[in-house]
Amino acid sequence: MPEARDATPYDALLLLSFGGPEGPDDVVPFLENVTRGRGIPTERLKEVGSHYFLFGGVSPINAQNRALLQALREDFADHGLDLPVYWGNRNWAPYLTDTLREMTADGRRRVLVLTTSAYASYSGCRQYRENLAESLAALEAEGLVPPRIDKLRHYFNHEGFVEPMTEGVLASLADLPDEVRDGAHIAFTTHSIPTAAADTSGPAEDHGDGGAYVRQHLEVARLIADAVTTRTGVEHPWQLVYQSRSGAPHIPWLEPDICDHLEERRAAGVPAVVMAPIGFVSDHMEVLYDLDTEATARAAELGLPVRRSATVGADPRFAAAVRDLVVERAAVERGLTVTPCALGALGPSHNVCPAGCCPARNPRPAAAGADSPYA
């Protein structure tokens, strides 16, 4: 790629994540932030927060974001990419608005945003863009001139995202007992979302049964499964399954649930299962509780050997992928022709979310898209 270390016209990268509590006293206030406007009583939030209390009231996500932040800064420095990296969260400190205020004070005028969500969906993309718009509006209300914001494209099929997960699956298979390894099933897991949200995920042309959300996950699962077959000579059966469902029980969500799937696989005579959380960038609470705790306990009850493969986290290859995405987008903004890295059949995702992409039930302004009020 020409000018491979040039981030012009951008002068900063913002790592934007969900956030999480860092102590028992943080849990309920954090959940109040997450559920603001839904009228959920405090007692119910305490029940929901029970998963966090099992881990001392600490979500691992902030520590993992600090590790990724350090990995990005080191990678950029090692490769001569002069681009400062900031970090902000949607629901806990460091809060997005505070970080954007800091960036404005530092004179940052063109900012790229990396979200810790690799796939298209309302909750994984547009909701982040809505939060960006809210924060930009808050800064304007303070009399500040906030920076222009662009968002990096979805990276689900970038080699630097897929390859670490492939190696994680291979390591989990290798860790299984010899007698069950070759017959092991791979359960690729991601966060369940309402089927209505899945069906309208991605640009309008991708809407339909499961939308871009399901299509993109299936592609990543296929890429990993094919790579595992190539490297081991064993073709493992696999399926995309879901976890971490929440919300009203009468609303349809994507299925099957991982625990139900483990029961089905055991009944079908599968000797072992590798759970591969391809829908998650790091080992945050949904991975630690829903897979490492709940699903693993259910497998033990069933007498089914399971292993859980690693997420990408702060893997140096993922940091390098982010650098590649930054350089790619910067080159596009300068009018250069680039060849984006995208494995498989779906090709690279769009750089700018089009109008109608991952629509909200109650539309709100969203930054960093074709319908952004902040051009």
Side-chain angles (χ1 to χ4, degrees), residues 45-124:
L45 293 179
K46 289 179 180 178
E47 293 176 18
V48 173
S50 61
H51 298 174
Y52 292 97
F53 293 124
L54 288 174
F55 296 88
V58 178
S59 167
I61 192 169
N62 277 354
Q64 290 160 5
N65 280 324
R66 292 186 184 98
L68 178 56
L69 191 70
Q70 182 65 23
L72 291 172
R73 288 170 173 165
E74 291 177 357
D75 178 90
F76 288 7
D78 290 345
H79 293 84
L81 183 62
D82 184 16
L83 192 71
V85 187
Y86 295 75
W87 169 38
N89 287 326
R90 289 170 49 195
N91 298 298
W92 201 249
Y95 287 103
L96 172 59
T97 302
D98 295 336
T99 300
L100 285 174
R101 187 182 294 110
E102 176 189 0
M103 298 176 82
T104 300
D106 289 346
R108 309 305 177 192
R109 304 310 308 148
R110 289 290 303 274
V111 174
L112 269 174
V113 174
L114 166 69
T115 63
T116 52
S117 176
Y119 303 87
S121 70
Y122 171 74
S123 57

Coordinates of all heavy atoms in Angstrom, one line a residue, residues 45-124:
L45 N -31.9 -4.7 38.9 CA -30.6 -4.5 38.4 C -29.6 -5.3 39.3 O -28.6 -5.8 38.8 CB -30.2 -3.0 38.4 CG -31.0 -2.2 37.4 CD1 -30.5 -0.7 37.5 CD2 -30.7 -2.7 36.0
K46 N -29.9 -5.4 40.6 CA -29.0 -6.2 41.5 C -29.0 -7.6 41.1 O -28.0 -8.3 41.2 CB -29.5 -6.0 42.9 CG -29.2 -4.6 43.5 CD -29.6 -4.5 45.0 CE -29.3 -3.1 45.5 NZ -29.8 -3.0 46.9
E47 N -30.2 -8.1 40.7 CA -30.3 -9.5 40.2 C -29.5 -9.7 39.0 O -28.8 -10.7 38.8 CB -31.8 -9.9 40.0 CG -32.7 -9.9 41.2 CD -34.1 -10.2 40.9 OE1 -34.4 -10.6 39.7 OE2 -35.0 -9.9 41.7
V48 N -29.7 -8.8 38.0 CA -28.9 -8.8 36.8 C -27.4 -8.8 37.0 O -26.6 -9.5 36.4 CB -29.3 -7.7 35.8 CG1 -28.5 -7.7 34.6 CG2 -30.8 -7.8 35.4
G49 N -27.0 -8.0 38.1 CA -25.6 -7.8 38.4 C -25.0 -9.0 39.1 O -23.8 -9.0 39.4
S50 N -25.8 -10.1 39.4 CA -25.2 -11.2 40.1 C -24.0 -11.8 39.4 O -23.1 -12.3 40.1 CB -26.3 -12.2 40.3 OG -26.8 -12.8 39.1
H51 N -24.0 -11.8 38.1 CA -22.8 -12.4 37.4 C -21.6 -11.6 37.7 O -20.5 -12.2 37.9 CB -23.1 -12.3 35.9 CG -24.3 -13.1 35.4 ND1 -24.7 -13.1 34.1 CD2 -25.1 -13.9 36.1 CE1 -25.8 -13.9 34.0 NE2 -26.0 -14.4 35.2
Y52 N -21.7 -10.3 37.8 CA -20.5 -9.5 38.1 C -20.1 -9.7 39.6 O -18.9 -9.8 39.8 CB -20.8 -8.0 37.9 CG -21.1 -7.6 36.5 CD1 -22.3 -7.5 36.0 CD2 -20.0 -7.3 35.7 CE1 -22.5 -7.1 34.6 CE2 -20.2 -6.9 34.4 CZ -21.5 -6.8 33.8 OH -21.7 -6.5 32.5
F53 N -21.0 -9.9 40.5 CA -20.7 -10.1 41.9 C -19.9 -11.4 42.1 O -19.1 -11.5 43.0 CB -21.9 -10.0 42.8 CG -22.5 -8.7 42.9 CD1 -23.9 -8.5 42.5 CD2 -21.8 -7.6 43.3 CE1 -24.4 -7.2 42.6 CE2 -22.3 -6.3 43.3 CZ -23.7 -6.1 43.0
L54 N -20.1 -12.4 41.2 CA -19.4 -13.6 41.2 C -17.9 -13.4 41.0 O -17.1 -14.2 41.4 CB -19.9 -14.6 40.2 CG -21.3 -15.3 40.5 CD1 -21.7 -16.1 39.3 CD2 -21.3 -16.1 41.8
F55 N -17.6 -12.3 40.3 CA -16.2 -12.0 40.0 C -15.7 -10.7 40.7 O -14.9 -10.0 40.2 CB -16.1 -11.8 38.5 CG -16.4 -13.0 37.7 CD1 -17.7 -13.3 37.3 CD2 -15.4 -13.9 37.4 CE1 -17.9 -14.4 36.5 CE2 -15.6 -15.1 36.6 CZ -16.9 -15.3 36.2
G56 N -16.3 -10.6 41.9 CA -15.8 -9.4 42.8 C -16.4 -8.1 42.3 O -15.8 -7.0 42.7
G57 N -17.4 -8.1 41.5 CA -18.0 -6.9 41.0 C -17.1 -6.2 39.9 O -17.3 -5.1 39.5
V58 N -16.2 -7.0 39.3 CA -15.2 -6.4 38.4 C -15.5 -7.1 37.0 O -15.4 -8.3 36.9 CB -13.8 -6.6 38.8 CG1 -12.8 -6.1 37.7 CG2 -13.5 -6.0 40.1
S59 N -15.7 -6.3 36.0 CA -15.7 -6.8 34.6 C -14.3 -6.8 34.1 O -13.6 -5.8 34.3 CB -16.7 -6.0 33.7 OG -16.4 -6.3 32.4
P60 N -13.9 -7.8 33.4 CA -12.5 -7.8 32.8 C -12.4 -6.8 31.6 O -11.2 -6.6 31.2 CB -12.3 -9.2 32.4 CG -13.7 -9.7 32.1 CD -14.6 -9.0 33.1
I61 N -13.5 -6.2 31.1 CA -13.4 -5.5 29.8 C -12.5 -4.3 29.9 O -11.7 -4.0 28.9 CB -14.8 -5.2 29.3 CG1 -14.7 -4.7 27.9 CG2 -15.4 -4.1 30.2 CD1 -16.1 -4.6 27.2
N62 N -12.5 -3.6 31.0 CA -11.6 -2.4 31.1 C -10.1 -2.8 31.1 O -9.3 -2.1 30.4 CB -12.0 -1.5 32.3 CG -13.2 -0.6 32.0 OD1 -13.7 -0.5 30.9 ND2 -13.6 0.1 33.1
A63 N -9.8 -3.8 31.8 CA -8.4 -4.2 31.8 C -8.0 -4.7 30.4 O -6.8 -4.4 30.0 CB -8.2 -5.3 32.9
Q64 N -8.9 -5.4 29.8 CA -8.6 -5.8 28.4 C -8.4 -4.7 27.4 O -7.6 -4.7 26.5 CB -9.6 -6.8 28.0 CG -9.5 -8.1 28.7 CD -10.8 -9.0 28.7 OE1 -11.8 -8.6 28.0 NE2 -10.8 -10.1 29.4
N65 N -9.3 -3.6 27.6 CA -9.1 -2.5 26.8 C -7.8 -1.7 27.0 O -7.2 -1.2 26.1 CB -10.3 -1.5 26.9 CG -11.5 -2.0 26.2 OD1 -11.4 -2.5 25.1 ND2 -12.7 -1.8 26.7
R66 N -7.4 -1.7 28.3 CA -6.1 -1.1 28.6 C -4.9 -1.9 27.9 O -4.0 -1.3 27.4 CB -5.8 -1.1 30.1 CG -6.8 -0.1 30.8 CD -6.4 0.0 32.3 NE -7.3 0.8 33.0 CZ -8.4 0.4 33.7 NH1 -8.5 -1.0 33.9 NH2 -9.2 1.2 34.3
A67 N -5.1 -3.2 27.9 CA -4.1 -4.0 27.2 C -4.1 -3.8 25.7 O -3.0 -3.7 25.1 CB -4.3 -5.5 27.5
L68 N -5.3 -3.7 25.1 CA -5.4 -3.4 23.7 C -4.8 -2.0 23.4 O -4.1 -1.8 22.4 CB -6.8 -3.5 23.2 CG -7.1 -3.2 21.7 CD1 -6.2 -4.1 20.8 CD2 -8.6 -3.4 21.4
L69 N -5.1 -1.0 24.2 CA -4.7 0.3 24.0 C -3.1 0.3 24.0 O -2.5 1.0 23.1 CB -5.2 1.2 25.2 CG -5.0 2.7 25.1 CD1 -5.9 3.3 24.0 CD2 -5.3 3.3 26.4
Q70 N -2.5 -0.4 24.9 CA -1.0 -0.5 24.9 C -0.5 -1.2 23.7 O 0.5 -0.7 23.1 CB -0.6 -1.2 26.2 CG 0.9 -1.3 26.4 CD 1.6 0.1 26.6 OE1 0.9 1.0 27.0 NE2 2.8 0.1 26.3
A71 N -1.2 -2.3 23.3 CA -0.7 -3.0 22.1 C -0.8 -2.1 20.9 O 0.1 -2.1 20.0 CB -1.6 -4.2 21.9
L72 N -1.9 -1.3 20.7 CA -2.0 -0.4 19.6 C -0.9 0.6 19.6 O -0.3 0.9 18.6 CB -3.4 0.3 19.6 CG -4.6 -0.7 19.3 CD1 -5.9 0.1 19.6 CD2 -4.5 -1.2 17.9
R73 N -0.7 1.2 20.7 CA 0.4 2.3 20.8 C 1.8 1.7 20.5 O 2.6 2.4 19.8 CB 0.4 2.9 22.2 CG -0.9 3.8 22.5 CD -1.0 4.2 23.9 NE -2.1 5.2 24.1 CZ -2.6 5.5 25.3 NH1 -2.2 4.9 26.4 NH2 -3.6 6.4 25.3
E74 N 2.0 0.5 21.0 CA 3.3 -0.1 20.7 C 3.5 -0.4 19.2 O 4.5 -0.2 18.6 CB 3.5 -1.3 21.6 CG 3.7 -1.0 23.1 CD 3.8 -2.3 23.9 OE1 3.7 -3.4 23.3 OE2 4.0 -2.1 25.1
D75 N 2.4 -1.0 18.7 CA 2.5 -1.4 17.2 C 2.7 -0.1 16.4 O 3.5 -0.1 15.4 CB 1.2 -2.1 16.8 CG 1.2 -2.4 15.4 OD1 1.6 -3.5 15.0 OD2 0.7 -1.6 14.5
F76 N 1.9 0.9 16.7 CA 2.0 2.2 15.9 C 3.4 2.7 16.0 O 4.0 3.1 15.0 CB 1.0 3.2 16.3 CG -0.4 2.9 16.0 CD1 -0.8 1.7 15.4 CD2 -1.4 3.9 16.2 CE1 -2.1 1.4 15.1 CE2 -2.7 3.6 15.9 CZ -3.1 2.4 15.4
A77 N 4.0 2.7 17.2 CA 5.3 3.3 17.4 C 6.4 2.4 16.6 O 7.3 3.0 16.0 CB 5.7 3.4 18.9
D78 N 6.2 1.1 16.7 CA 7.2 0.2 16.1 C 7.2 0.3 14.6 O 8.2 0.0 13.9 CB 6.9 -1.2 16.5 CG 7.2 -1.5 17.9 OD1 7.9 -0.7 18.6 OD2 6.8 -2.6 18.5
H79 N 6.0 0.8 14.0 CA 5.9 0.8 12.6 C 5.9 2.3 12.0 O 5.5 2.5 10.9 CB 4.7 0.1 12.1 CG 4.8 -1.4 12.3 ND1 4.5 -2.0 13.5 CD2 5.2 -2.4 11.5 CE1 4.7 -3.3 13.4 NE2 5.2 -3.6 12.2
G80 N 6.3 3.2 12.9 CA 6.4 4.6 12.4 C 5.1 5.3 12.1 O 5.1 6.2 11.3
L81 N 4.0 4.8 12.7 CA 2.7 5.5 12.5 C 2.5 6.5 13.6 O 2.2 6.1 14.7 CB 1.6 4.4 12.4 CG 0.2 5.0 12.1 CD1 0.1 5.6 10.7 CD2 -0.9 3.9 12.2
D82 N 2.6 7.7 13.3 CA 2.5 8.8 14.3 C 1.1 9.2 14.5 O 0.6 10.1 13.9 CB 3.4 10.0 13.9 CG 3.4 11.1 14.9 OD1 3.1 10.8 16.1 OD2 3.7 12.2 14.6
L83 N 0.4 8.4 15.4 CA -1.0 8.6 15.6 C -1.4 8.3 17.1 O -1.3 7.2 17.5 CB -1.9 7.7 14.7 CG -3.4 8.1 14.6 CD1 -3.6 9.4 13.8 CD2 -4.1 6.9 13.9
P84 N -1.7 9.3 17.8 CA -2.1 9.1 19.3 C -3.4 8.3 19.3 O -4.3 8.4 18.5 CB -2.2 10.5 19.8 CG -2.5 11.4 18.7 CD -1.8 10.8 17.5
V85 N -3.4 7.4 20.4 CA -4.6 6.6 20.6 C -5.2 6.9 21.9 O -4.6 6.9 23.0 CB -4.2 5.1 20.6 CG1 -5.5 4.2 20.6 CG2 -3.4 4.8 19.3
Y86 N -6.5 7.2 21.9 CA -7.3 7.6 23.1 C -8.3 6.4 23.3 O -8.5 5.6 22.5 CB -8.1 8.9 22.9 CG -7.3 10.1 22.7 CD1 -6.6 10.4 21.6 CD2 -7.2 11.1 23.8 CE1 -5.8 11.5 21.4 CE2 -6.4 12.2 23.6 CZ -5.7 12.5 22.4 OH -5.0 13.6 22.3
W87 N -8.9 6.5 24.5 CA -9.9 5.4 24.9 C -11.1 6.0 25.6 O -11.0 6.8 26.5 CB -9.2 4.4 25.8 CG -10.1 3.4 26.4 CD1 -11.2 2.8 25.9 CD2 -10.0 2.9 27.8 NE1 -11.8 1.9 26.9 CE2 -11.0 2.0 28.0 CE3 -9.0 3.1 28.8 CZ2 -11.2 1.3 29.2 CZ3 -9.2 2.4 30.0 CH2 -10.3 1.5 30.2
G88 N -12.3 5.7 25.1 CA -13.5 6.1 25.8 C -14.6 5.0 25.8 O -14.5 4.1 24.9
N89 N -15.5 5.0 26.8 CA -16.5 3.9 26.9 C -17.9 4.6 26.8 O -18.1 5.7 27.1 CB -16.4 3.3 28.3 CG -15.2 2.3 28.4 OD1 -14.8 1.7 27.4 ND2 -14.7 2.3 29.6
R90 N -18.8 3.7 26.4 CA -20.2 4.2 26.3 C -20.9 4.2 27.7 O -21.7 5.1 28.0 CB -21.0 3.2 25.4 CG -20.7 3.2 24.0 CD -21.3 2.1 23.2 NE -22.7 1.9 23.6 CZ -23.5 0.9 23.3 NH1 -22.9 -0.2 22.7 NH2 -24.7 0.8 23.6
N91 N -20.5 3.3 28.6 CA -21.3 3.1 29.8 C -20.5 3.2 31.1 O -21.1 3.0 32.2 CB -22.0 1.8 29.8 CG -23.0 1.7 28.6 OD1 -23.9 2.4 28.5 ND2 -22.7 0.7 27.7
W92 N -19.2 3.4 31.1 CA -18.4 3.6 32.3 C -17.2 4.3 32.0 O -16.8 4.5 30.8 CB -18.1 2.2 32.9 CG -17.8 2.3 34.4 CD1 -16.6 2.1 35.0 CD2 -18.7 2.7 35.4 NE1 -16.7 2.3 36.4 CE2 -18.0 2.7 36.6 CE3 -20.1 3.1 35.5 CZ2 -18.5 3.1 37.9 CZ3 -20.6 3.5 36.7 CH2 -19.9 3.5 37.9
A93 N -16.5 4.8 33.1 CA -15.3 5.6 32.9 C -14.2 4.7 32.3 O -14.1 3.5 32.6 CB -14.8 6.1 34.3
P94 N -13.4 5.3 31.4 CA -13.5 6.7 30.9 C -14.6 6.9 29.9 O -14.7 6.2 28.9 CB -12.1 6.9 30.2 CG -11.7 5.6 29.7 CD -12.2 4.6 30.8
Y95 N -15.5 7.8 30.3 CA -16.7 8.1 29.4 C -16.3 8.7 28.1 O -15.4 9.5 28.0 CB -17.7 8.9 30.2 CG -18.4 8.2 31.3 CD1 -18.0 8.5 32.7 CD2 -19.4 7.3 31.1 CE1 -18.6 7.8 33.7 CE2 -20.1 6.7 32.2 CZ -19.7 6.9 33.5 OH -20.3 6.3 34.5
L96 N -17.1 8.3 27.1 CA -16.9 8.8 25.7 C -16.9 10.3 25.7 O -16.0 10.9 25.1 CB -18.0 8.3 24.8 CG -18.0 8.8 23.4 CD1 -16.7 8.6 22.7 CD2 -19.2 8.2 22.6
T97 N -17.8 11.0 26.3 CA -17.9 12.5 26.2 C -16.7 13.1 26.8 O -16.1 14.1 26.3 CB -19.2 13.0 26.9 OG1 -20.3 12.4 26.3 CG2 -19.3 14.5 26.8
D98 N -16.2 12.6 28.0 CA -15.0 13.1 28.6 C -13.8 12.9 27.7 O -12.9 13.8 27.6 CB -14.8 12.4 29.9 CG -15.8 12.7 31.0 OD1 -16.5 13.7 30.8 OD2 -16.0 11.9 31.9
T99 N -13.7 11.8 27.0 CA -12.6 11.5 26.2 C -12.6 12.5 24.9 O -11.6 13.0 24.5 CB -12.5 10.1 25.7 OG1 -12.4 9.2 26.9 CG2 -11.3 9.8 24.8
L100 N -13.8 12.6 24.4 CA -13.9 13.6 23.2 C -13.6 15.0 23.7 O -13.0 15.8 22.9 CB -15.3 13.5 22.6 CG -15.5 12.2 21.7 CD1 -17.0 12.2 21.3 CD2 -14.6 12.2 20.5
R101 N -14.0 15.3 24.9 CA -13.6 16.7 25.4 C -12.1 16.8 25.5 O -11.5 17.9 25.1 CB -14.3 16.9 26.7 CG -14.1 18.3 27.2 CD -14.8 18.5 28.6 NE -16.2 18.3 28.6 CZ -16.9 17.3 29.1 NH1 -16.2 16.3 29.7 NH2 -18.2 17.2 29.0
E102 N -11.4 15.8 26.0 CA -10.0 15.8 26.1 C -9.3 15.9 24.7 O -8.4 16.7 24.5 CB -9.5 14.5 26.8 CG -8.0 14.4 26.8 CD -7.6 13.0 27.4 OE1 -8.4 12.2 27.7 OE2 -6.3 12.8 27.4
M103 N -9.9 15.2 23.7 CA -9.3 15.2 22.4 C -9.5 16.6 21.8 O -8.6 17.1 21.1 CB -10.0 14.1 21.5 CG -9.8 12.7 22.0 SD -10.6 11.5 21.1 CE -9.5 11.2 19.7
T104 N -10.6 17.2 22.0 CA -10.9 18.5 21.5 C -9.9 19.5 22.1 O -9.3 20.4 21.4 CB -12.3 19.0 21.8 OG1 -13.2 18.1 21.2 CG2 -12.6 20.4 21.3
A105 N -9.7 19.4 23.4 CA -8.7 20.3 24.1 C -7.3 20.1 23.6 O -6.5 21.0 23.5 CB -8.7 20.1 25.6
D106 N -7.0 18.8 23.1 CA -5.7 18.5 22.6 C -5.5 19.0 21.1 O -4.5 18.7 20.5 CB -5.4 17.0 22.7 CG -5.1 16.6 24.1 OD1 -4.9 17.4 25.0 OD2 -5.2 15.3 24.4
G107 N -6.6 19.5 20.6 CA -6.5 20.0 19.2 C -6.7 19.0 18.1 O -6.4 19.2 17.0
R108 N -7.3 17.8 18.5 CA -7.6 16.8 17.5 C -8.8 17.2 16.6 O -9.9 17.5 17.2 CB -7.9 15.5 18.2 CG -6.8 15.0 19.2 CD -5.4 15.0 18.6 NE -4.4 14.7 19.6 CZ -3.1 14.9 19.4 NH1 -2.6 15.3 18.3 NH2 -2.3 14.5 20.4
R109 N -8.6 17.2 15.3 CA -9.7 17.7 14.4 C -10.2 16.6 13.5 O -11.4 16.7 13.0 CB -9.1 18.8 13.5 CG -8.5 20.0 14.2 CD -9.4 20.6 15.3 NE -10.7 20.9 14.8 CZ -11.8 20.8 15.6 NH1 -11.8 20.3 16.8 NH2 -13.0 21.0 15.0
R110 N -9.5 15.5 13.2 CA -10.0 14.4 12.4 C -9.7 13.1 13.2 O -8.5 12.8 13.3 CB -9.4 14.4 11.0 CG -9.8 15.5 10.1 CD -11.2 15.4 9.6 NE -11.5 14.1 8.9 CZ -11.3 13.9 7.6 NH1 -10.8 14.8 6.8 NH2 -11.6 12.7 7.1
V111 N -10.7 12.5 13.6 CA -10.6 11.3 14.5 C -11.2 10.1 13.8 O -12.3 10.1 13.3 CB -11.3 11.6 15.8 CG1 -11.2 10.3 16.7 CG2 -10.6 12.7 16.5
L112 N -10.4 9.0 13.8 CA -10.9 7.7 13.4 C -11.4 6.9 14.7 O -10.7 7.0 15.7 CB -9.9 6.9 12.7 CG -9.8 7.0 11.2 CD1 -8.6 6.2 10.7 CD2 -11.1 6.4 10.6
V113 N -12.4 6.1 14.6 CA -12.9 5.4 15.7 C -12.9 3.9 15.5 O -13.3 3.4 14.4 CB -14.4 5.8 16.1 CG1 -15.0 4.9 17.2 CG2 -14.5 7.3 16.5
L114 N -12.3 3.2 16.4 CA -12.3 1.7 16.4 C -13.3 1.3 17.5 O -13.0 1.5 18.7 CB -10.9 1.2 16.7 CG -10.8 -0.3 17.0 CD1 -11.1 -1.2 15.8 CD2 -9.4 -0.7 17.6
T115 N -14.3 0.6 17.1 CA -15.3 0.0 18.1 C -14.9 -1.4 18.4 O -14.4 -2.1 17.5 CB -16.7 0.1 17.7 OG1 -16.9 -0.7 16.5 CG2 -17.1 1.5 17.4
T116 N -15.1 -1.9 19.6 CA -14.8 -3.2 20.0 C -16.0 -4.2 19.7 O -16.5 -4.9 20.5 CB -14.5 -3.3 21.5 OG1 -15.5 -2.7 22.3 CG2 -13.2 -2.7 21.8
S117 N -16.4 -4.0 18.4 CA -17.5 -4.9 17.9 C -17.2 -5.0 16.4 O -17.1 -4.0 15.7 CB -18.9 -4.3 18.1 OG -19.9 -5.0 17.5
A118 N -17.0 -6.3 15.9 CA -16.5 -6.5 14.6 C -17.6 -6.6 13.5 O -17.3 -6.7 12.3 CB -15.7 -7.8 14.6
Y119 N -18.9 -6.8 13.9 CA -19.9 -7.1 13.0 C -21.0 -6.1 12.9 O -21.1 -5.2 13.8 CB -20.6 -8.4 13.5 CG -19.6 -9.6 13.6 CD1 -18.9 -9.8 14.8 CD2 -19.4 -10.5 12.6 CE1 -18.0 -10.9 14.9 CE2 -18.5 -11.6 12.7 CZ -17.9 -11.7 13.9 OH -17.0 -12.8 14.0
A120 N -21.8 -6.1 11.9 CA -22.9 -5.2 11.7 C -24.1 -5.6 12.5 O -24.5 -6.8 12.5 CB -23.3 -5.2 10.2
S121 N -24.7 -4.6 13.3 CA -25.9 -4.8 14.0 C -26.2 -3.4 14.6 O -25.3 -2.6 14.7 CB -25.9 -5.9 15.1 OG -25.0 -5.5 16.1
Y122 N -27.5 -3.3 15.1 CA -27.8 -2.0 15.8 C -26.9 -1.9 17.0 O -26.2 -0.9 17.2 CB -29.3 -2.0 16.2 CG -29.5 -0.8 17.1 CD1 -29.6 0.5 16.5 CD2 -29.7 -1.0 18.4 CE1 -29.8 1.6 17.4 CE2 -29.9 0.1 19.3 CZ -29.9 1.4 18.7 OH -30.1 2.5 19.6
S123 N -26.9 -2.9 17.9 CA -26.1 -2.8 19.1 C -24.6 -2.8 18.9 O -23.9 -2.3 19.8 CB -26.5 -3.9 20.1 OG -26.3 -5.2 19.5
G124 N -24.2 -3.4 17.8 CA -22.7 -3.4 17.6 C -22.2 -2.3 16.7 O -21.0 -2.3 16.5

